[in-house]
Amino acid sequence: MLGLRAFTVVLLGDISYGVYLMARSTGFDSAHLVGVPLLYFCGGMLLLVSVRYRPPAVRLMLDDSGIHLIYHRGKQYFQGWSDPDFVVRGRWTPGVRDAISRGRPLYSIYGRFGGLTETFIPEVAYSDLKTQSESRGFILAEPPGNRGWTLWAISPPNSP
């Protein structure tokens, strides 16, 4: 993380110095007045996304207390079965020919636990998650699907 911050400081310093030299030598026209701040904004947003969000989880654990998503670095995410706001969302595909699934069935989990990308899980883990949640009275909702990905959500019966 420190390396990424140092790289960002050096990169922004280099860009700022280049803009300063350009302003002293040729001045700015209207394209530069709009383009340079827009470029800084886009770069800043990309940096924010890369720093703020973490990569997918490396492991899914289910136990009597709830769901644990374990990450390579950083703290794990825990969602307890007794939590009144319990919701786990994901999607699955029966194996369409796209860049992600490449013709094989895939299951994933995503949601408010702070991952930028989805965590793909094996079908066995999805079946275990479904079985354990149904045994605790949770509802698996799969809205009528279209071709390709089907969204699913596990939540308590009285949630919206």
Side-chain angles (χ1 to χ4, degrees):
M1 189 61 87
L2 181 63
L4 179 62
R5 290 181 182 156
F7 174 75
T8 303
V9 168
V10 169
L11 182 65
L12 288 176
D14 184 49
I15 291 171
S16 299
Y17 184 68
V19 169
Y20 167 74
L21 290 177
M22 186 173 58
R24 288 204 53 198
S25 64
T26 60
F28 283 118
D29 58 2
S30 60
H32 284 104
L33 288 175
V34 172
V36 170
L38 185 63
L39 189 64
Y40 274 109
F41 175 76
C42 291
M45 292 305 292
L46 288 173
L47 180 66
L48 177 69
V49 166
S50 67
V51 169
R52 169 68 177 99
Y53 296 107
R54 54 179 137 175
V58 293
R59 194 170 184 197
L60 168 71
M61 285 182 23
L62 302 171
D63 59 15
D64 291 336
S65 60
I67 296 172
H68 303 267
L69 286 172
I70 300 168
Y71 294 91
H72 184 64
R73 280 186 240 135
K75 72 177 200 178
Q76 71 177 355
Y77 170 78
F78 172 73
Q79 181 77 44
W81 297 116
S82 60
D83 185 359
D85 296 328
F86 182 92
V87 175
V88 176
R89 290 184 177 87
R91 61 184 181 155
W92 67 274
T93 178
V96 296
R97 292 266 179 219
D98 63 357
I100 297 173
S101 66
R102 296 188 181 132
R104 37 176 225 272
L106 284 179
Y107 297 85
S108 70
I109 293 178
Y110 63 88
R112 64 181 187 215
F113 45 84
L116 175 62
T117 58
E118 299 170 70
T119 298
F120 290 97
I121 58 175
E123 186 175 358
V124 174
Y126 173 76
S127 298
D128 288 347
L129 176 63
K130 182 178 173 184
T131 303
Q132 284 202 24
S133 59
E134 286 174 347
S135 70
R136 289 174 170 76
F138 290 92
I139 296 173
L140 173 69
E142 293 178 0
N146 51 7
R147 289 185 49 190
W149 294 97
T150 300
L151 301 177
W152 56 269
I154 297 173
S155 60
N158 56 359
S159 69

